[in-house]
Amino acid sequence: MATVVDLFTYPVKGCAGTPLDSTHLTPAGLAHDRSFMVVSTDGVYRTQRRDPRLALVRPTISADGGRLTLASAERGSGDGGDGVRGGDGVRGGDDELHLDVTTSAPRRDVDLFGATFRGIDQGEEAAAWLSDFLGAPSRLVRVPPEHDRKTDGLTPGTSGYADSSAVHLLSRASLTHLHARMAERGAPPLAMDRFRPNIVIDSRPGERHGEDWAAAPHAEDRIRRMTIGAADLGYTKLAVRCAVTLVDQEAGARGGPEPLRTLAGYRRAAGGGVVFGAKFSVVRPGKLSVGDEVAVEEWGDAEA
């Protein structure tokens, strides 16, 4: 048996996540997840692979999605609107931007992994703040209401500006197992935020190990259909890992070769790539909360 121990939404693609106690799972993922994206003046998406300082941008968004705050982690940290955990508030001044989100501004083409989508430009103030912070001319765009992206995988679905599927799920057991393998190389453990999951699951407290599927590393790879809270999710594919996992999310800078060096030794998928965690589409939207039970309805064979 497993329960949800952490929920994270990432309002701005590539920027820091917001921890949640509860949220609504929409067809495109956790509420407001990857609803915004930082792009170059040419409309090409910015990523921590090239711009690791994105990790230091702490976005928070109001429950209705109408108000976005961008804060610099170098000077402060904050909480958000309803349902958001933690934080002591953000200092005012140049390190913080409060933005009224627009959905009526003109649309523009944006490029995400070579695919063309549309985005609503959020104006000059957001562009100036991000350009100054990242040291490169940048714009902020929002997913338009008419966004109709189709994602691939075993269970088709939709998402905002996520890399692919709507939800990324990872277990603590998988991270613990990775840490054990890294320790054999003399490498220290890494924080869960290196992998930027939406849902983190763990064993239910008090379960006997022999009856607890969530105690096994990478058990999430075999889930094909599950219910969490009031929502149903369907497996799409394994999460292929990239150089973003090398970025220290607290420092906003690339660290050493871990975790990719260790993962490459035991987590290569048959179809290619280093994988860690699994991705899911939303079959039935509904409320999610920390503490919800993960009820697996269907299992399959692991692909790695």
Side-chain angles (χ1 to χ4, degrees):
M1 196 65 68
T3 58
V4 174
V5 292
D6 288 301
L7 292 169
F8 299 97
T9 188
Y10 303 85
V12 182
K13 181 178 179 65
C15 296
T18 300
L20 305 168
D21 280 326
S22 62
T23 187
H24 185 72
L25 185 66
T26 75
L30 275 67
H32 311 301
D33 189 64
R34 276 87 172 190
S35 292
F36 299 84
M37 181 167 66
V38 184
V39 299
S40 68
T41 53
D42 293 330
V44 179
Y45 74 105
R46 292 204 179 279
T47 169
Q48 288 187 27
R49 289 182 286 276
R50 296 186 298 269
D51 297 287
R53 279 178 59 80
L54 283 168
L56 299 178
V57 179
R58 301 283 192 257
T60 53
I61 190 164
S62 61
D64 65 359
R67 184 79 165 169
L68 177 70
T69 297
L70 301 179
S72 164
E74 293 177 320
R75 296 189 181 184
S77 61
D79 62 16
D82 296 341
V84 180
R85 295 188 291 167
D88 298 319
V90 186
R91 302 177 194 171
D94 293 340
D95 60 323
E96 181 180 297
L97 173 69
H98 299 284
L99 184 69
D100 289 324
V101 177
T102 178
T103 58
S104 60
R107 276 65 170 153
R108 63 168 297 170
D109 287 344
V110 294
D111 178 290
L112 179 59
F113 297 109
T116 300
F117 298 100
R118 301 288 278 172
I120 305 171
D121 195 283
Q122 295 301 301
E124 298 303 322
E125 192 175 7
W129 193 96
L130 287 163
S131 298
D132 179 68
F133 190 81
L134 298 175
S138 302
R139 310 290 302 186
L140 180 68
V141 297
R142 184 197 185 278
V143 169
E146 66 272 16
H147 184 73
D148 62 350
R149 181 183 183 184
K150 302 295 189 296
T151 56
D152 61 359
L154 186 63
T155 306
T158 189
S159 67
Y161 292 133
D163 284 2
S164 56
S165 305
V167 175
H168 174 213
L169 182 143
L170 190 57
S171 70
R172 281 185 177 171
S174 296
L175 184 62
T176 298
H177 183 67
L178 170 62
H179 286 165
R181 285 181 172 259
M182 289 171 56
E184 294 173 358
R185 293 174 172 266
L190 299 173
M192 180 68 82
D193 64 10
R194 286 287 186 106
F195 303 98
R196 300 172 62 80
N198 294 115
I199 301 174
V200 180
I201 62 172
D202 198 9
S203 305
R204 181 190 292 273
E207 289 281 346
R208 289 185 295 172
H209 182 87
E211 299 176 356
D212 186 5
W213 62 262
H218 310 298
E220 60 267 32
D221 295 5
R222 300 186 295 108
I223 298 173
R224 293 296 175 265
R225 190 64 66 95
M226 63 182 168
T227 297
I228 305 177
D232 294 337
L233 297 94
Y235 174 86
T236 61
K237 56 189 175 182
L238 297 179
V240 177
R241 310 318 309 207
C242 67
V244 170
T245 60
L246 304 179
V247 176
D248 183 328
Q249 299 295 300
E250 294 299 318
R254 185 175 291 202
E258 297 295 355
L260 292 182
R261 181 180 64 175
T262 296
L263 286 171
Y266 76 106
R267 288 294 296 169
R268 288 196 177 274
V274 173
V275 293
F276 192 69
K279 296 195 173 185
F280 295 84
S281 288
V282 179
V283 177
R284 178 171 62 105
K287 184 180 179 181
L288 298 181
S289 299
V290 170
D292 281 346
E293 179 182 326
V294 180
V296 178
E297 310 294 339
E298 180 183 347
W299 294 95
D301 295 328
E303 298 177 304

